[in-house]
Amino acid sequence: MNDFTIAIYCFVDDYLQIAGKKAAAKRKASDAEIITTALVSARYFGGNLSAASGYMQQHQKCRMPHKSNFNRMLHRLGGTIAAIFLALGDCLKQLNTTGEYVIDSFPVAVCRNIRINRCRLLEGEAYRGYNVSKREYFYGFKVEVIATAGGLPVSYFIVAGSVHDGRALQAMHLDLPPESSLYGDSAYTNYEVEDLLAECEQVSLLTQRKSNSKRKDSPAMDYIKAVMRKRIETTFSEIEAAFPRTIHAVTPQGFLLKIVLFLFAYTINKCI
């Protein structure tokens, strides 16, 4: 845990210095310490910020602000956290010499289905989605993730639970290197998007074909696509293993921020 904490702090602090972002001189904790504490909470404490703050005070000798002040500071840094993750993703893309990527999604429920009527965090049918792998409905968000062939997330996009994967793909900014291959399941099938990506960005969208598909694959290509998708499913299982039974948040923004922190912490842990 100590090595992970130091590695995160050095990475975040270096990024903030390069970006020219400086915290107020009178603050107890710097931006790098706040972000590091949040990532440590996602990696080791199930997203419990209070427990992570206690660890940082006791073992890293950091001066942590009061809980309410800490939460306000963390929420103000939400955009910075997203920017740091994207910067890390760009580095991983440059190191990914194979040029192979996989896209898939996993659901994150805010509550159990029986408690939807009493849920105060979200309202509306837009958040009611269907988890095909578990054959059950959920109420919350869907996280679209693009990962390398080795399972390292490089980009994400969070949508309401009812949004179809194909629609989410159209709304995403892929930003993949030219000559890359992006594998996905049949939910991402869209011939128009395939043609546009190939023509405009030189990216091959390789989705698994349905039995009635107009563009059928050879048995060899069908096997390759199935094998490529297995690694990202393992990645999702490892990310969800760090989730607590319920992710505690008071606002939708806080809930989304914790999802990003879990994804960020997993990626850094795999890179170390």
Side-chain angles (χ1 to χ4, degrees):
M1 184 186 300
N2 184 64
D3 293 340
F4 179 83
T5 303
I6 294 174
I8 289 180
Y9 177 81
C10 293
F11 173 72
V12 173
D13 189 59
D14 288 346
Y15 174 86
L16 294 177
Q17 289 187 23
I18 294 173
K21 297 183 179 181
K22 298 182 180 180
K26 295 183 179 180
R27 281 172 42 180
K28 289 184 177 180
S30 65
D31 290 347
E33 291 173 334
I34 296 296
I35 296 175
T36 300
T37 303
L39 291 171
V40 168
S41 74
R43 177 67 181 89
Y44 294 105
F45 298 98
N48 190 321
L49 296 173
S50 297
S53 296
Y55 165 79
M56 294 294 288
Q57 285 181 329
Q58 183 176 359
H59 296 279
Q60 303 300 333
K61 309 305 178 184
C62 296
R63 298 176 60 196
M64 289 289 106
H66 188 268
K67 180 179 178 180
S68 59
N69 291 335
F70 182 93
N71 288 333
R72 283 194 292 269
M73 294 166 64
L74 180 60
H75 278 70
R76 283 197 296 267
L77 291 169
T80 302
I81 294 173
I84 297 175
F85 181 85
L86 291 178
L88 176 61
D90 289 339
C91 293
L92 294 176
K93 292 174 188 176
Q94 295 177 13
L95 295 174
N96 184 28
T97 56
T98 64
E100 295 180 328
Y101 299 88
V102 189
I103 184 172
D104 206 347
S105 65
F106 67 94
V108 182
V110 299
C111 66
R112 296 183 181 275
N113 288 334
I114 198 172
R115 297 178 181 173
I116 292 176
N117 292 333
R118 291 176 287 169
C119 181
R120 297 182 180 179
L121 193 65
L122 300 174
E123 292 182 1
E125 287 297 313
Y127 297 99
R128 189 192 297 270
Y130 184 70
N131 187 353
V132 177
S133 61
K134 295 183 179 180
R135 298 181 180 180
E136 64 180 13
Y137 287 92
F138 69 95
Y139 193 70
F141 297 96
K142 186 184 293 184
V143 186
E144 305 283 342
V145 177
I146 296 178
T148 64
L152 284 174
V154 297
S155 181
Y156 69 89
F157 189 62
I158 304 177
V159 296
S162 65
V163 177
H164 190 270
D165 287 339
R167 288 178 55 194
L169 175 62
Q170 296 180 47
M172 291 179 68
H173 178 55
L174 299 182
D175 192 26
L176 296 177
E179 308 301 329
S180 297
S181 298
L182 180 62
Y183 295 85
D185 60 24
S186 58
Y188 296 96
T189 299
N190 188 315
Y191 300 141
E192 183 178 354
V193 173
E194 286 185 26
D195 295 338
L196 285 174
L197 287 175
E199 181 179 354
C200 301
E201 300 187 23
Q202 291 78 53
V203 174
S204 300
L205 178 59
L206 305 174
T207 59
Q208 290 183 300
R209 303 304 189 190
K210 297 180 181 179
S211 58
N212 61 347
S213 175
K214 297 179 181 179
R215 302 181 182 181
K216 295 186 179 296
D217 285 330
S218 64
M221 178 56 69
D222 187 61
Y223 174 77
I224 292 174
K225 291 179 178 179
V227 171
M228 289 296 296
R229 289 193 59 253
K230 287 185 178 180
R231 184 61 187 88
I232 196 170
E233 292 174 355
T234 303
T235 296
F236 290 162
S237 298
E238 294 174 348
I239 293 173
E240 292 174 333
F243 286 7
R245 176 174 294 183
T246 56
I247 298 177
H248 176 71
V250 179
T251 64
Q253 293 76 15
F255 191 88
L256 294 173
L257 179 57
K258 285 199 172 182
I259 294 177
V260 175
L261 289 172
F262 281 115
L263 189 62
F264 196 169
Y266 171 84
T267 304
I268 291 183
N269 184 58
K270 288 296 182 180
C271 292
I272 297 178

